[in-house]
Amino acid sequence: MSDLLTFVTTDYAGITRGRSIAVADYQPGKPKSVGWVPANMSLTPFDQIADPNPWGSSGDLRLLGDENARYRVALPGAATPTDMMMSWITELDGSPWALCPRTFLANAIADFETLTGLRFVASFEHEFQLFGTGWAQAPAFSLRALRQADPFGPELMAALGALHCAPEVFIAEYGRDQFEVTMAPSSGLVAADRAVVLREVVRELAALKGWRASFAPKTAVNGVGNGVHIHFSFQDASGANATYDPARPGRVSAVGGAFAAGVIRHLPALVALTASSPISYLRLKPHNWSSSYTWFGDRDRESSLRICPVTTIGGADPSRAFNLEYRAADACACPHLALGAVIRAGIEGIRAKLPDPPLFSGDPEALSPEDRRHLGLERLPATLGAALDRLEADKAAAGWFSPLALETYIGMKQAEISLAGEALDDALCTRYADIY
Ligand code: GLU
Ligand code: MG
């Protein structure tokens, strides 16, 4: 038996795909790539390539491994180690392919860092559900819910630790057999890579036990949502948190406020990239603790961009952990694309020197339309189709992509919408639960 090393990319459908070589054939320090196909980017989650698409049957690309982003771990019960290397999608000469999501993120981070002189730090928080476990229902957040999954939690934390993903907290969540894992912050590219690793490791660990893990935003129409919450902050050269300023509203620094304003301004377009499936919009509804309005909130879990709490227990420095949380994302979205788009929106806000968005806490649904307008609270698009229209109509957001990238993304998503069909029902949620 020869262990395999897989060169992976996570594509516009948020699915991690790749090709493998025998691990013995990999020579550290020497660039290694495997073949790839442009039309793969037009693959819908339903395994049908959007037709038409800009690529057809022609053209060739490479998946060029990033040797700083190799994740190898032996999972309990697996025949061979899981071994993946995050890869850049390149042309045959190694130059970046215009649609590579990882390059999209790396470029957004580089532009942010050039513009601000600050380091972009992030962490993805994931919720998921386990199916096929045969467990009795246990109360939400309970020790019993946590313990009946044993040793899933300890094995997952150990695997993430061995993968240097810095796991922090494992939670039995609110929903039935729903769990959450958080990881420590890292630089933006590493954070998105870790999101990929976490999803794949959770799925594999569950499958090794005969269960099925799903990160789908909804696994039943009236069920609990599985969110992906993207936490971020900025670090200055001294390592201090440049997002934090206790003298300002919400304790958000001027640069943090301008970034937040860009995110809020472009949110109706952003969700087309961060909540990227038709069923994502079953989750983005009021009173779901997800997000549903262009809403900047201080410690309010209904807001779309939330100022997170900090603790001062034991004399802790409140600036250390201070961060903002983008809540309008789910695991149908490619983490690199989602984070890259959030950063692009933030850059727009900084460049335009936008004032901080108004802070709101409460129930936007209880306000008059006029009061909502006054507070800048706009209901987010109610469907993926409407979100894609907003993406196309938002000239700045559309401009974050090359015309071919935008055409590919929108074309693939339109094909996904028609393959999903009209009914956003439990059957469709089950289809998504099986894929994600
Ligand atoms: N499950 C919620 C979501 O769909 C999040 C709940 C929480 O705040 O942890 O985003
Ligand atoms: Mg949660």
Side-chain angles (χ1 to χ4, degrees):
M1 192 152 69
S2 171
D3 293 356
L4 298 181
L5 166 62
T6 308
F7 295 84
V8 297
T9 178
T10 302
D11 64 11
Y12 282 177
I15 293 175
T16 301
R17 309 182 205 264
R19 295 183 181 182
S20 307
I21 61 168
V23 81
D25 289 342
Y26 178 69
Q27 292 170 32
K30 196 163 171 254
K32 180 71 190 169
S33 67
V34 293
W36 202 241
V37 178
N40 284 5
M41 204 55 120
S42 291
L43 247 177
T44 66
F46 302 112
D47 287 342
Q48 285 187 42
I49 295 179
D51 186 23
N53 69 69
W55 310 103
S57 54
S58 66
D60 289 281
L61 300 165
R62 304 297 290 181
L63 290 182
L64 174 63
D66 176 351
E67 75 166 340
N68 297 317
R70 181 176 180 183
Y71 293 87
R72 183 176 200 271
V73 69
L75 295 178
T80 63
T82 306
D83 195 354
M84 65 182 117
M85 191 179 285
M86 303 297 153
S87 305
W88 310 102
I89 311 180
T90 72
E91 305 284 355
L92 299 182
D93 64 1
S95 60
W97 188 45
L99 280 76
C100 172
R102 201 162 179 268
T103 303
F104 177 77
L105 173 57
N107 288 344
I109 292 170
D111 285 355
F112 172 86
E113 298 190 348
T114 304
L115 179 68
T116 62
L118 301 169
R119 175 169 174 252
F120 193 91
V121 174
S123 175
F124 285 66
E125 168 188 334
H126 286 86
E127 293 170 333
F128 62 92
Q129 283 165 287
L130 295 175
F131 293 92
T133 60
W135 297 330
Q137 177 144 18
F141 311 121
S142 68
L143 181 64
R144 201 198 319 164
L146 192 84
R147 289 302 300 166
Q148 76 181 357
D150 198 56
F152 182 82
E155 287 178 0
L156 177 59
M157 296 297 266
L160 292 172
L163 287 158
H164 306 292
C165 286
E168 281 190 328
V169 183
F170 181 72
I171 304 170
E173 251 281 2
Y174 178 64
R176 176 142 191 199
D177 297 338
Q178 188 188 38
F179 298 89
E180 175 177 311
V181 188
T182 61
M183 295 176 281
S186 58
S187 67
L189 189 65
V190 171
D193 290 346
R194 285 179 179 175
V196 170
V197 172
L198 177 119
R199 295 172 197 187
E200 294 307 319
V201 166
V202 165
R203 291 187 183 112
E204 188 172 343
L205 208 49
L208 285 165
K209 301 194 179 309
W211 311 331
R212 204 172 175 111
S214 181
F215 291 83
K218 281 277 188 174
T219 57
V221 173
N222 293 317
V224 75
N226 292 307
V228 171
H229 302 158
I230 308 174
H231 295 260
F232 61 88
S233 60
F234 318 143
Q235 240 175 40
D236 71 16
S238 73
N241 189 338
T243 334
Y244 183 73
D245 182 346
R248 297 185 84 254
R251 311 171 310 289
V252 180
S253 67
V255 65
F259 189 101
V263 172
I264 294 293
R265 172 175 285 185
H266 295 287
L267 198 56
L270 269 179
V271 290
L273 302 157
T274 62
S276 57
S277 78
I279 64 161
S280 298
Y281 294 82
L282 296 171
R283 173 176 164 260
L284 297 190
K285 284 186 172 161
H287 312 142
N288 269 286
W289 287 25
S290 55
S291 45
S292 50
Y293 281 84
T294 53
W295 174 357
F296 187 42
D298 188 359
R299 287 168 290 167
D300 193 318
R301 286 179 185 78
E302 284 268 317
S303 59
S304 300
L305 188 62
R306 182 174 81 119
I307 301 172
C308 289
V310 285
T311 171
T312 49
I313 294 173
D317 172 0
S319 79
R320 290 283 305 155
F322 185 79
N323 70 90
L324 304 182
E325 176 189 40
Y326 179 91
R327 295 174 67 86
D330 65 57
C332 292
C334 165
H336 301 88
L337 191 66
L339 181 56
V342 168
I343 295 172
R344 285 278 169 223
I347 288 175
E348 300 283 347
I350 295 173
R351 285 213 175 108
K353 299 190 169 52
L354 295 183
D356 295 23
L359 276 169
F360 174 74
S361 191
D363 183 0
E365 303 273 292
L367 301 176
S368 68
E370 202 194 327
D371 284 346
R372 280 202 293 267
R373 212 171 313 118
H374 198 70
L375 289 160
L377 294 167
E378 184 196 339
R379 182 73 175 86
L380 296 181
T383 64
L384 176 59
L388 291 169
D389 290 345
R390 295 296 295 267
L391 175 59
E392 271 190 296
D394 182 332
K395 290 288 162 260
W400 302 335
F401 299 92
S402 72
L404 264 181
L406 193 67
E407 182 189 339
T408 302
Y409 186 80
I410 290 180
M412 188 275 279
K413 286 290 155 189
Q414 296 291 8
E416 178 179 343
I417 290 171
S418 63
L419 288 166
E422 294 281 293
L424 299 181
D425 56 11
D426 283 345
L428 184 63
C429 292
T430 301
R431 281 170 78 192
Y432 274 93
D434 287 345
I435 298 165
Y436 291 96

